[in-house]
Amino acid sequence: MESSQSEPARDEPERPPSVTGSSSVAQSRPSNNAGWAVASLLFFWPLAFSAFHHAFEVYPLWAGGDTDGALYASRRVRKLGQLSLWIFGALLLLAVVLYAIAAIVLISHGGDGGQFHHHRVE
């Protein structure tokens, strides 16, 4: 006497194992985050070399079956783009601070065309 619980019902179609198993679900291709690579090019170009390299590696890694490598490359592009924005912001802030210091020094010395010492007029 066989148990009816181990067999699928006759009117239900069988599901392939890849759909029912949670560990073998096919993942979609990760984004190559090309926008972040362009942002790194615009805001801090030295990071753009690495960002574009990783962006161009996402699809070949994914197509080759290395989904972890493709996800790593995708995340790396995003992090490099964000890092370039942070570096640009820090450099911009530094430039504003240095400009303010230069303006304060110029104003405190009379603003006479950049000559920082006073001449006696006889």
Side-chain angles (χ1 to χ4, degrees):
M1 183 169 183
E2 292 183 24
S3 171
S4 63
Q5 293 175 358
S6 63
E7 292 181 19
R10 300 269 186 227
D11 55 346
E12 290 181 18
E14 288 188 22
R15 292 184 184 175
S18 62
V19 174
T20 58
S22 62
S23 63
S24 62
V25 173
Q27 294 181 350
S28 63
R29 180 172 59 101
S31 171
N32 62 359
N33 290 319
W36 283 114
V38 172
S40 68
L41 179 67
L42 295 175
F43 292 106
F44 192 69
W45 65 266
L47 290 179
F49 297 109
S50 181
F52 275 104
H53 171 74
H54 287 293
F56 289 136
E57 287 295 314
V58 171
Y59 179 74
L61 287 171
W62 178 78
D66 186 9
T67 55
D68 291 335
L71 287 171
Y72 171 77
S74 176
R75 286 191 304 264
R76 189 74 176 157
V77 173
R78 187 180 67 233
K79 285 181 184 180
L80 288 170
Q82 291 171 350
L83 181 62
S84 69
L85 285 177
W86 280 105
I87 291 173
F88 176 77
L91 291 175
L92 185 64
L93 181 65
L94 181 65
V96 168
V97 167
L98 291 177
Y99 182 77
I101 290 172
I104 290 170
V105 168
L106 184 64
I107 291 170
S108 69
H109 283 83
D112 54 355
Q115 298 176 2
F116 294 107
H117 54 279
H118 299 283
H119 296 285
R120 279 196 206 179
V121 178
E122 294 184 44

